[in-house]
Amino acid sequence: MFTNRQLFLQHLGQTSVAPMMLEIVRAEGIYMYGPDGKQYIDLISGVSVSNTGHCHPKVVEAVKKQVGLYMHLMVYGEFIQSPQVKYAERLAEILPPALNSCYFVNSGSEAVEGALKLAKRFTGKSRIISFKNSYHGSTHGALSIQGSELYRNAFRPLLPDVFQISFNDEKSLDAIDNHTACVIVEPVQGEAGIIFPENDFLIKIRNKCDSTGALLIFDEIQTGFGRLGYMFAIDRFGVVPDILLLAKALGGGMPLGAFISSADIMSALATNPSLGHITTFGGHPVCCAAGLASLNVIIDEKLAGRCNSKSDLFRKELIHPLISEVRGEGLLLAVQLIDSSYIPYIIANAPGFGLVLDYFLFCDNAFRIAPPLIIGEEEIVMACNLLKKLLNDAGNNIKKK
Ligand code: PLP
């Protein structure tokens, strides 16, 4: 008889030689539970997915109701499926008027693919500008625009006519010109280690796009749905893109992505030729029902605005000799340490202290804190106390080596 641990290594394709290997049998709110009943505080929300916590009763109820009515009926875009229609209407209500046409897909990467294709079709141009240290997903198109040469180079040849420029560097915006189809940017760079735009950088990109005819794409796949203390980064920075990308928390714990634009721009995918993007499961009705229920919880419980005091509490509690900086806003935080050598130990040993933590892809001296937005104040204090014990342990063990 093999254990699940052995079967996991034998039969599942591995993403690295050092997976976290944490086995979870149940999750509720901010907690996950192992087979032995051990409780873990989720401080990363499955990377900004579980904004309303695990198995929120209203989300579970919406899923059960929809499963009882119908699951997959037809490829995206043909049938009128009320979970899709209702969710798209609700999103249009809370987004700026220019973002009123929602194309549902399955994931963040697929939203990126759809948006790049839409920008090429709408502008008739091919050049794509993205940013160094950006992360937009792992499919070929998304990989082509990713801001890491290490990961891109492993799969060349990739999409042509793609250029990476530097975030927060006004001079680099000169690369945006009349040949540019689109500029794709994370309003706050996530995997780079929570890097905020400075000196109105997003406004400067918007202006440059306006003067050249390039479309501006905001990748809010990590920042959306209240994480920054605002429903979207659009609201935080007052800049409206031509295309908005959502995924992760969009599905309330179910797989769902979307690229959202004006009906005018979006129409470019429907003609000459039609079927500009085809997706079988995009906007799956069960995922849309879950996502709408989760969004309504975020709105009804004012979870976005309530992030700010929680953020302050994390900062107040996270004072430790190993911590050099706590960066970010809302519940999208990077805890930077005095030395990157502590990070692997801390991530690997977090479960032993009852915590789930994670790395950033492109920032080796920090770890992320992005818990479900429903986390309470007492839970924050408890999590920070555990974290400080873990940091003490890391300090003792790394020093000894
Ligand atoms: N864009 C951003 C900013 C992300 O953080 C991610 C995933 O981490 C993606 C795109 C890709 O999303 P997915 O993993 O659903 O394809």
Side-chain angles (χ1 to χ4, degrees):
M1 212 19 206
F2 290 107
T3 61
N4 276 352
R5 196 181 167 86
Q6 289 164 325
L7 293 170
F8 170 86
L9 290 172
Q10 258 174 41
H11 296 300
L12 288 172
Q14 298 295 309
T15 56
S16 78
V17 291
M20 289 166 98
M21 297 278 278
L22 185 61
E23 186 170 358
I24 298 298
V25 293
R26 186 171 73 81
E28 190 181 339
I30 65 157
Y31 301 105
M32 299 183 185
Y33 298 90
D36 53 358
K38 187 171 165 65
Q39 175 179 284
Y40 304 92
I41 300 179
D42 181 1
L43 285 182
I44 57 168
S45 309
V47 187
S48 300
V49 170
S50 320
N51 285 13
T52 50
H54 296 280
C55 293
H56 191 288
K58 292 194 173 153
V59 177
V60 172
E61 187 192 319
V63 168
K64 284 185 178 164
K65 191 171 163 215
Q66 184 54 40
V67 167
L69 291 171
Y70 59 84
M71 290 186 268
H72 180 77
L73 296 179
M74 183 54 175
V75 296
Y76 173 81
E78 298 293 340
F79 284 16
I80 300 166
Q81 304 185 40
S82 83
Q84 287 178 351
V85 176
K86 283 189 192 154
Y87 200 8
E89 181 196 24
R90 191 79 176 107
L91 288 166
E93 279 168 6
I94 62 168
L95 285 168
L99 297 172
N100 63 357
S101 180
C102 177
Y103 203 115
F104 283 118
V105 291
N106 294 280
S107 67
S109 297
E110 192 188 356
V112 169
E113 300 294 337
L116 298 181
K117 287 160 69 185
L118 176 59
K120 286 168 88 170
R121 280 284 282 280
F122 183 77
T123 60
K125 301 171 189 174
S126 63
R127 184 160 305 161
I128 298 167
I129 307 262
S130 63
F131 287 85
K132 290 182 185 152
N133 286 333
S134 64
Y135 182 75
H136 299 289
S138 197
T139 52
H140 255 97
L143 180 63
S144 304
I145 59 169
Q146 185 186 118
S148 156
E149 181 56 21
L150 175 73
Y151 290 105
R152 280 199 317 267
N153 203 30
F155 292 97
R156 292 195 186 284
L158 291 167
L159 211 53
D161 220 3
V162 174
F163 295 92
Q164 261 96 30
I165 60 177
S166 301
F167 197 71
N168 278 334
D169 175 1
E170 190 178 343
K171 190 81 191 78
S172 77
L173 300 182
D174 290 347
I176 304 168
D177 62 17
N178 294 337
H179 301 286
T180 309
C182 62
V183 178
I184 179 165
V185 63
E186 298 164 86
V188 173
Q189 287 199 313
E191 295 307 319
I194 316 301
I195 307 298
F196 269 65
E198 288 165 8
N199 303 321
D200 292 332
F201 191 59
L202 297 178
I203 297 175
K204 286 171 185 157
I205 304 176
R206 177 71 274 180
N207 291 342
K208 192 74 191 189
C209 286
D210 287 342
S211 65
T212 57
L215 296 188
L216 175 58
I217 304 174
F218 270 9
D219 180 341
E220 287 227 43
I221 288 167
Q222 261 193 64
T223 53
F225 295 98
R227 190 138 294 281
L228 290 177
Y230 293 78
M231 186 57 85
F232 298 108
I234 292 176
D235 309 310
R236 162 69 179 83
F237 298 109
V239 177
V240 180
D242 300 294
I243 305 176
L244 172 68
L245 308 183
L246 299 175
K248 293 198 183 276
L250 175 70
M254 298 288 279
L256 188 64
F259 54 103
I260 301 180
S261 191
S262 66
D264 176 42
I265 294 176
M266 197 63 90
S267 67
L269 287 181
T271 53
N272 295 322
S274 63
L275 304 175
H277 187 73
I278 301 178
T279 176
T280 300
F281 286 122
H284 191 284
V286 179
C287 304
C288 284
L292 177 57
S294 179
L295 172 59
N296 284 335
V297 170
I298 294 173
I299 294 171
D300 295 347
E301 296 182 12
K302 300 188 174 45
L303 290 181
R306 290 169 58 201
C307 276
N308 294 315
S309 59
K310 295 177 185 181
S311 188
D312 291 345
L313 186 54
F314 266 111
R315 276 168 217 283
K316 186 170 153 262
E317 293 292 321
L318 286 179
I319 295 182
H320 188 275
L322 291 193
I323 299 177
S324 58
E325 186 187 3
V326 178
R327 246 191 330 268
E329 286 182 17
L331 289 176
L332 188 58
L333 302 174
V335 180
Q336 186 168 308
L337 300 187
I338 52 170
D339 192 313
S340 61
S341 64
Y342 293 107
I343 299 287
Y345 183 92
I346 285 169
I347 307 289
N349 289 283
F353 286 78
L355 297 173
V356 178
L357 293 174
D358 197 19
Y359 296 94
F360 291 108
L361 274 177
F362 310 133
C363 176
D364 65 1
N365 62 0
F367 59 87
R368 85 179 78 220
I369 292 211
L373 309 186
I374 55 161
I375 193 167
E377 298 198 343
E378 279 176 21
E379 291 168 327
I380 293 175
V381 173
M382 181 166 73
C384 289
N385 285 337
L386 292 170
L387 199 46
K388 283 184 277 191
K389 282 189 188 154
L390 170 59
L391 290 169
N392 287 342
D393 180 62
N396 291 336
N397 279 292
I398 303 280
K399 225 186 315 168
K400 279 181 198 146
K401 277 177 194 160

